[in-house]
Amino acid sequence: MSYLDSVIERVKERHGSEPEFVQTVEEVLGSLKPVIDQHPEYEKVDLLGRMVEPDRMFSFRVVWQDDEGQYHTNIGYRVQFNGALGPYKGGIRFHPTVNQSVVKFLGFEQCFKNSMTGLPIGGGKGGSDFDPRGKSDDEIMRFCQSFISALYRYIGPDTDVPAGDMGVGAREVGFMYGQYRRLRGKFENGVFTGKGFSYGGSRVRPEATGYGAVYYLLNVLDHFGEDIKDKKIAISGFGNVAWGLCKKVQQLGGKVVTLAGPDGYIYDPDGISTEEKVEYMLEMRASGRDKVQDYADKFGVEFFPGEKPWINAEYDIAMPAAYQNEITIEEAKAMVEKGLEYYIEVANMPTTNEALNYLMENVKVVAPSKAVNAGGVAGSALEMSQNSLRLSWQAEEVDKQLKQIIDNIYQMSVDAAEEYGLGYNLVAGANIAGFVRLADAMMAQGVI
Ligand code: GLU
């Protein structure tokens, strides 16, 4: 058995109870074969075996009191996956589906994503199975304070820098940073990114993930000589990432025709193409109702309860932007049947491996989330730079750097796949490009 396969087998044996983590390892390592074949020196120092095990991971109890005085206990997690490229960096997710496997898969992906940005950030991730839906501001604050009381000793501007993810936005980051500052007794605002602008947040960070996804898409369309204005884009989700994406597409004169939530999806044939519609997405999110139907009621478009857009809606570009494993083989087959050409992942691992392989064989372009959504963490790294310089850049400056980083990630992925004889393969190209920088740093730093 090859070295690569033996590492995958070992992960399956050891971590069989962590299906999402195993899935990611199989997907990422699976595409590294041509690289590993050319580098027999990796086996001697067990480079891959070390890469798939986190530097450390821990969980902790988070107790909080609701508005009625009742106490609740949740679990918090942080994985510090790989620190070879910089302080651990990655978001915190509050969602009932969070568990050790989910945090580990996100952390593993993060290492490759952060590597591709070319910036000095290692890979980390965290979260809790806490469900923020329907909670009051006070409840959210008490939860965030308790979460940070357990975590504050292990994070810091040069150690580990968390940020937002699903269920964690500027409000939660504010509560967490406030508690960190109180316990630490220092104004170390570089410990978090995604902060409010008044205390060190960056211009364009709120939009960065969505903008980055559109910049990536523009590169792909450009490669095929196509124009975003002629395309209908279907997305799922309607949170922060979806909002940034719609905002940029609207500025460019394109059309996002769907949004989806836990209650169903909406179809807007004119596209989410006015500022009013884009801004309304923020209101929908802030209401805490978690209902995408509100958009249909407000703008008089059709709502499809309990459905996702993928099978029945009409669109040219699919951009799943909700959560992991949303696209199974069933949706993938429906997409191929309707002649879909562009499948652009936005959420982390939105596609099962079976569906991903099927799509890669049957549609013109598949783009992987770790490259497409890297604008978020890249925006965070730019926030870290501004914090350490103790200044803040104008929106145009941040946006320009963000676009450069994404254009670079796209080009690196294309080049890496070409170099290893894989043609125009953005999925393998991203894995290889992310791997190569990380592997170089790990090789240089000795066996640790
Ligand atoms: N949660 C986002 C991601 O998955 C952002 C992480 C960050 O900004 O550190 O990349």
Side-chain angles (χ1 to χ4, degrees):
M1 196 190 289
S2 73
Y3 172 53
L4 185 78
D5 288 336
S6 73
V7 173
I8 296 177
E9 280 313 305
R10 196 165 56 194
V11 168
K12 282 190 193 159
E13 259 168 47
R14 264 194 195 151
H15 301 294
S17 60
E18 298 167 350
E20 291 85 358
F21 176 60
V22 171
Q23 184 184 336
T24 302
V25 169
E26 281 193 284
E27 191 271 310
V28 174
L29 296 198
S31 60
L32 297 178
K33 191 175 177 319
V35 190
I36 307 303
D37 284 350
Q38 285 189 22
H39 291 276
E41 71 275 19
Y42 291 157
E43 181 171 3
K44 182 156 179 279
V45 294
D46 195 22
L47 184 84
L48 294 178
R50 290 190 281 132
M51 213 179 256
V52 295
E53 290 300 332
D55 288 353
R56 66 195 65 78
M57 172 159 192
F58 42 89
S59 66
F60 43 90
R61 169 175 81 239
V62 186
V63 194
W64 58 281
Q65 196 172 30
D66 69 22
D67 290 341
E68 273 70 56
Q70 174 74 46
Y71 283 103
H72 302 269
T73 306
N74 285 92
I75 311 181
Y77 301 91
R78 187 76 185 163
V79 64
Q80 298 181 332
F81 219 111
N82 193 306
L85 296 174
Y88 304 107
K89 183 84 200 83
I92 289 179
R93 173 177 293 194
F94 292 165
H95 195 268
T97 55
V98 167
N99 57 35
Q100 174 161 314
S101 171
V102 167
V103 173
K104 264 177 83 174
F105 111 67
L106 291 165
F108 187 67
E109 288 263 291
Q110 198 84 39
C111 299
F112 293 81
K113 166 164 44 180
N114 295 5
S115 171
M116 265 189 297
T117 66
L119 300 168
I121 42 179
K125 199 84 189 191
S128 173
D129 58 356
F130 172 70
D131 186 357
R133 209 185 329 177
K135 304 292 188 295
S136 71
D137 270 10
D138 283 346
E139 288 171 333
I140 298 281
M141 182 175 75
R142 287 193 292 272
F143 179 82
C144 289
Q145 290 177 341
S146 182
F147 186 88
I148 285 303
S149 298
L151 190 60
Y152 85 99
R153 296 163 207 283
Y154 309 106
I155 59 176
D158 297 316
T159 315
D160 182 354
V161 184
D165 197 82
M166 280 161 67
V168 178
R171 173 181 62 167
E172 291 73 18
V173 167
F175 293 149
M176 288 195 272
Y177 176 62
Q179 181 73 351
Y180 176 87
R181 186 171 64 78
R182 171 159 75 170
L183 294 170
R184 193 65 103 204
K186 285 185 179 146
F187 190 85
E188 287 178 351
N189 65 351
V191 66
F192 268 98
T193 61
K195 299 181 291 292
F197 186 68
S198 58
Y199 61 99
S202 171
R203 295 290 187 214
V204 191
R205 175 63 188 89
E207 290 90 346
T209 314
Y211 278 19
V214 179
Y215 294 150
Y216 191 98
L217 172 66
L218 292 178
N219 275 290
V220 172
L221 292 174
D222 199 43
H223 179 86
F224 292 97
E226 305 232 50
D227 190 336
I228 193 166
K229 289 199 185 102
D230 309 327
K231 301 281 175 203
K232 291 195 194 81
I233 303 173
I235 70 171
S236 53
F238 67 104
N240 169 265
V241 175
W243 164 73
L245 197 158
C246 291
K247 191 168 168 181
K248 183 52 73 181
V249 171
Q250 183 260 328
Q251 286 168 10
L252 296 171
K255 267 190 194 173
V256 174
V257 290
T258 71
L259 296 174
D263 54 331
Y265 81 93
I266 63 98
Y267 192 86
D268 186 343
D270 298 332
I272 300 164
S273 48
T274 63
E275 269 178 45
E276 188 198 359
K277 287 177 175 175
V278 171
E279 288 315 298
Y280 183 68
M281 290 175 71
L282 290 179
E283 262 179 62
M284 278 160 70
R285 183 48 59 185
S287 78
R289 287 162 46 80
D290 211 11
K291 284 202 160 45
V292 80
Q293 184 178 2
D294 292 356
Y295 182 98
D297 294 346
K298 167 105 179 159
F299 297 108
V301 301
E302 245 187 302
F303 171 64
F304 299 85
E307 280 185 51
K308 291 275 178 189
W310 312 119
I311 294 182
N312 295 321
E314 195 196 311
Y315 56 91
D316 308 303
I317 301 176
M319 298 184 83
Y323 47 77
Q324 64 266 16
N325 290 331
E326 177 189 345
I327 308 295
T328 66
I329 191 73
E330 191 194 343
E331 283 82 16
K333 285 194 168 150
M335 286 174 177
V336 170
E337 230 163 78
K338 61 171 72 202
L340 181 80
E341 295 191 318
Y342 298 96
Y343 181 77
I344 314 288
E345 294 186 337
V346 182
N348 295 312
M349 200 169 77
T351 324
T352 65
N353 283 357
E354 188 188 13
L356 186 67
N357 291 332
Y358 183 78
L359 287 165
M360 284 176 73
E361 272 166 28
N362 292 291
V363 303
K364 186 152 90 175
V365 181
V366 175
S369 57
K370 67 172 76 60
V372 177
N373 74 26
V377 79
S380 280
L382 298 176
E383 182 171 332
M384 289 164 72
S385 302
Q386 293 168 77
N387 294 156
S388 44
L389 294 167
R390 297 182 190 273
L391 51 71
S392 85
W393 293 325
Q394 302 288 325
E396 296 70 36
E397 175 61 28
V398 180
D399 199 12
K400 192 179 85 190
Q401 292 203 37
L402 176 66
K403 183 158 190 317
Q404 265 168 10
I405 294 166
I406 298 294
D407 289 352
N408 197 32
I409 288 177
Y410 170 79
Q411 200 52 52
M412 268 167 38
S413 308
V414 171
D415 294 348
E418 278 289 331
E419 186 185 336
Y420 286 95
L422 301 169
Y424 187 76
N425 182 338
L426 298 172
V427 175
N431 287 334
I432 294 172
F435 171 81
V436 166
R437 177 174 175 229
L438 182 56
D440 281 355
M442 287 178 71
M443 292 300 281
Q445 292 172 33
V447 182
I448 51 172

